[in-house]
Amino acid sequence: MMWHFFISGQMRVLRHLSRSSTELYRVCFLARAGEIGLFERLARGGASLGETADALGIGPKRLPALEALFDLGVALGELDAKNGRYRLKGFLAKSLAVADNDPWRAMASEVSGLHAACLAAAPGGEAEARRLSDMTEAYSSIIARSSRTLEPVLKAVTRKLTPPAGAIRILEVGCGSGVYVIEALRRNPKAVVTAVEREPGVAGEAMAAIDRAGLAARCAMVNDDVRALSFGPEFDLITLHNNIYYFPEGERPELLSRLGSWLRPGGRLAVTTVCRGGGGPFSRIMLLWSTVTAGAGILPDPAGFALMLAQAGFAGVRTHNLFPGEAYWLFTGTRRPHSSPLSAATKAA
């Protein structure tokens, strides 16, 4: 019987689909293992099924499910089972057990949960769009953590944008984990930051991190939507990292103009974002998310967004691709003395 299956040509399809499914199951397993605290338990010399269940508070009725989860981990090569004890084995399992790799653990959760849901809902309708919007909000803490995978790049951007000395007032829109607020405050001992974060839980976690760094005296946390706020021309630098796509495309010209009015003459705006029109699978899944989620705005087009900045009154608009292989861009512009819409050629850095 198996021979007939083989000569039918289905075996090749099975092999290819099996390999692809294995990698999907791997990401899902790693995400769940991270969420329930399995890595921490098994990283300390391994544990038996019963010991793990006791440590994680899993009752007898759910023991078969925990054993099945372990069994999947072994089949994937991420766990090892010997003499009734389970240990970490695979490169990813061992890597994600390291505390400093928490952003990648969060990325696994985001991929297996939110990204997979976007694919399952595409091309979507109103009900799916609202569900994905609610799901995105529920994932806000995970997204704040996973966005730190870009930390080495954006820390370098923060250091470049923040002068090492002299008084400077910074507004960070959507501060997430607060890591770039901390970087700016450490970079310049005279810097003062106003951090805006609309998700209460994320804002609280960010302010706690800033406080632990001993920098709370120079940071004001505002838990609100930036569209509901009003400032005078008091900032030298305004940053938006990984969040312009939370603003619908039609709202962006007004948003950029308002942000420009909050800058002192000569002040700078910096926006980092995934863009449409290129990149690898991550850029493409972000484009899909931006088109199927209620309240989100489609990812910006690099040339079109640079022009939008110029028309919002910014001079010397520059663009720079920060991540070869992905469509991840930095946009900067300087406030003109008068922030009337202007048409200006942009320069590519």
Side-chain angles (χ1 to χ4, degrees), residues 134-157:
D134 292 340
M135 192 173 183
T136 298
E137 184 174 351
Y139 269 69
S140 59
S141 291
I142 290 174
I143 292 169
R145 288 165 51 212
S146 71
S147 68
R148 295 188 66 179
T149 55
L150 294 165
E151 190 172 305
V153 174
L154 291 183
K155 275 189 172 183
V157 169

Side-chain angles (χ1 to χ4, degrees), residues 85-207:
R85 297 185 71 80
Y86 295 89
R87 294 175 177 82
L88 302 179
K89 177 183 178 182
F91 169 78
L92 282 175
K94 290 181 177 179
S95 297
L96 297 187
V98 177
D100 287 347
N101 285 332
D102 177 73
W104 294 105
R105 191 186 301 188
M107 178 60 76
S109 294
E110 184 178 340
V111 168
S112 65
L114 185 58
H115 293 184
C118 289
L119 278 166
E126 289 186 8
E128 290 90 345
R130 288 193 298 270
R131 180 174 62 83
L132 288 171
S133 179
D134 292 340
M135 192 173 183
T136 298
E137 184 174 351
Y139 269 69
S140 59
S141 291
I142 290 174
I143 292 169
R145 288 165 51 212
S146 71
S147 68
R148 295 188 66 179
T149 55
L150 294 165
E151 190 172 305
V153 174
L154 291 183
K155 275 189 172 183
V157 169
T158 300
R159 289 192 295 271
K160 184 176 180 180
L161 292 170
T162 308
I168 180 173
R169 291 185 60 85
I170 301 171
L171 173 67
E172 179 154 325
V173 179
C175 70
S177 67
V179 63
Y180 308 119
V181 171
I182 293 171
E183 188 69 19
L185 292 172
R186 284 177 173 166
R187 167 77 166 163
N188 186 330
K190 291 188 177 180
V192 176
V193 177
T194 299
V196 177
E197 175 54 57
R198 68 179 183 179
E199 294 296 336
V202 175
E205 291 169 7
M207 197 61 214

Side-chain angles (χ1 to χ4, degrees), residues 8-68:
S8 72
Q10 298 303 304
M11 185 62 75
R12 187 179 180 187
V13 176
L14 174 62
R15 285 200 304 267
H16 279 271
L17 189 57
S18 178
R19 284 197 294 268
S20 297
S21 299
T22 295
E23 295 313 308
L24 171 63
Y25 301 150
R26 187 185 312 282
V27 175
C28 292
F29 168 78
L30 293 167
R32 189 57 185 156
E35 289 165 359
I36 66 174
L38 203 57
F39 292 133
E40 290 82 359
R41 183 61 194 168
L42 299 185
R44 297 191 292 268
S48 68
L49 181 67
E51 289 169 345
T52 305
D54 290 341
L56 300 182
I58 296 173
K61 290 184 178 180
R62 303 311 305 158
L63 206 58
L66 179 62
E67 186 173 18

Side-chain angles (χ1 to χ4, degrees), residues 7 59 120-121 150 287:
I7 63 175
L150 294 165
L287 176 60

